[in-house]
Amino acid sequence: MAVTLADVAARAGVSSATVSRVLNGNYPVAGSTRERVQRAVAELDYVVNGQARALAAATSDLVGVLVNDVADPFFGIIASALQAEVGVSAAEPGGKLTVVCNTGGSPEAELTYLTLLERQRAAGVVLTGGAVDSSAHTDSVSARLARLAASGTRIVLCGRPPLTLPGETGPLTTLAFDNFGGARRLTEHLLSLGHRRIGYVTGPAERSTTGDRLAGHRAALAAHGLAPRRGTAGTGTAGDAADDPLTVHGGYDRNAGYDATLELLRRDTDVTAIVAANDTVALGVCAALRDRGLRIPTDVSVAGFDDLPFSADASPALTTVRIPLQEAGARAGRLVMGRLAPPPGGVTTIATELMVRGSTAPPAAGRV
């Protein structure tokens, strides 16, 4: 009976996807793993089926880019910069067709798009933004990405946590954002101004970006001896952290910021600063404060995250954390096109930068 790819994988102790990568030479594999696969091929006298290999390696001129919300400037900037690298130009005539897949934040839609891209034999797939914090969903995504990689598809994660496919010795090519460090520096800035009653309007509880930014915020508080206050959060936005009245979970949109701020002020009228999950949420925070007759930053300081284009033009200009989204999208495009070598170990963390503007100031006398 003919030796199969699965037989080679079992002998080498790796996945079939890894064997395919070694044989096709189209994806980086650790040296020790490559040696095990090559030794297994020799020991089993495995012969590649040329016709099947040619069919499996055939990919289309299509690169899929998965985003949570195409209307969100965060994703729009990444996708635009990526498309400029992937698409046809005078300098790079051999471009690909970029297809932006809007998941709407739905885990089911994400899986469906990955399946569709697999059927289309996509040349590349880029997944952007935070991942769903669910082991079952992670396993499902990994299985689909493993099949895509085995067929020759280049895969890049941009702004997502690193992910190792089944049987792999290292993570997929990943451009991670320093959400934790950026959030910590932002809260440290407010603490340095004298704020101690800092509210936090965070994103959906099940998103990795939410968890990283909230963890950075709380790390800064803990370093100043300000652990989350215990108490009854009350009934409010779904997903609230019941052990911390100064934290309210919501969505990543303006309305979520508005509603969460009203809930936060209901819980604690003495808040002197509010940190928002992102700049769009921060706009909702500012609107709610103004509607309550509160001045920014005289009565309450406000800070966001991402440094989207409108942040500097807000009134007052928004203090935020800058992620170089344009550069990240362009780099992801070069990686998925094979024009840039993957970083050592497969993962690089893109640094963030604190942008201090007019929306933050020391708390008014007597309100510390």
Side-chain angles (χ1 to χ4, degrees):
M1 187 169 61
V3 177
T4 67
L5 194 74
D7 295 329
V8 175
R11 174 66 68 92
V14 298
S15 68
S16 296
T18 298
V19 175
S20 179
R21 289 178 180 181
V22 172
L23 296 177
N24 292 330
N26 62 354
Y27 209 91
V29 177
S32 59
T33 302
R34 186 183 305 278
E35 291 176 4
R36 292 208 312 274
V37 171
Q38 291 172 339
R39 185 165 58 249
V41 168
E43 291 172 352
L44 296 173
D45 290 326
Y46 175 69
V47 177
V48 176
N49 183 322
Q51 291 180 329
R53 178 174 177 176
L55 179 61
T59 57
S60 67
D61 289 329
L62 183 153
V63 171
V65 182
L66 275 66
V67 302
N68 286 349
D69 183 1
V70 71
D72 186 331
F74 177 95
F75 294 103
I77 293 170
I78 292 176
S80 177
L82 191 153
Q83 193 276 332
E85 290 288 336
V86 170
V88 177
S89 67
E92 297 287 350
K96 305 289 186 184
L97 172 66
T98 306
V99 176
V100 177
C101 306
N102 187 57
T103 68
S106 165
E108 293 76 17
E110 183 172 77
L111 295 175
T112 299
Y113 277 125
L114 288 176
T115 299
L116 292 173
L117 289 168
E118 181 185 359
R119 292 175 185 171
Q120 294 297 319
R121 297 188 179 278
V125 171
V126 181
L127 290 85
T128 67
V132 176
D133 186 14
S134 161
S135 58
H137 181 68
T138 299
D139 291 344
S140 296
V141 169
S142 297
R144 284 163 174 76
L145 293 181
R147 294 199 300 267
L148 281 160
S151 68
T153 300
R154 286 195 183 93
I155 300 167
V156 177
L157 308 181
C158 183
R160 288 174 76 105
L163 180 65
T164 299
L165 300 184
E168 296 302 307
T169 57
L172 290 169
T173 299
T174 303
L175 301 177
F177 298 158
D178 185 17
N179 288 305
F180 177 91
R184 181 167 185 163
R185 286 190 296 275
L186 183 60
T187 298
E188 286 173 345
H189 161 67
L190 292 170
L191 291 166
S192 73
L193 292 175
H195 293 281
R196 294 298 180 267
R197 304 180 75 82
I198 303 173
Y200 197 98
V201 177
T202 189
E206 71 278 5
R207 290 284 168 178
S208 61
T209 299
T210 296
D212 291 341
R213 293 181 183 181
L214 181 56
H217 166 71
R218 287 180 169 171
L221 293 177
H224 285 73
L226 298 172
R229 290 192 296 127
R230 304 294 172 177
T232 302
T235 58
T237 307
D240 289 347
D243 64 340
D244 181 11
L246 291 181
T247 298
V248 181
H249 283 287
Y252 283 130
D253 58 282
R254 178 190 179 280
N255 289 340
Y258 188 99
D259 294 341
T261 299
L262 295 181
E263 170 63 18
L264 181 60
L265 293 175
R266 185 191 68 77
R267 297 179 187 178
D268 191 333
T269 58
D270 294 324
V271 166
T272 63
I274 297 177
V275 179
N278 62 22
D279 293 342
T280 303
V281 172
L283 291 184
V285 172
C286 291
L289 292 173
R290 284 193 294 267
D291 286 352
R292 289 289 299 271
L294 297 171
R295 298 163 296 171
I296 305 166
T298 305
D299 297 317
V300 181
S301 289
V302 178
F305 208 109
D306 295 336
D307 195 26
L308 298 178
F310 61 76
S311 301
D313 297 324
S315 182
L318 186 65
T319 292
T320 185
V321 174
R322 181 177 186 269
I323 299 176
L325 300 174
Q326 185 84 20
E327 295 91 330
R331 189 169 181 179
R334 292 193 293 273
L335 284 166
V336 81
M337 290 294 285
R339 298 179 189 140
L340 183 66
V347 179
T348 187
T349 299
I350 295 178
T352 54
E353 179 183 1
L354 176 64
M355 310 297 291
V356 178
R357 299 192 179 110
S359 67
T360 54
R367 294 204 69 219
V368 178

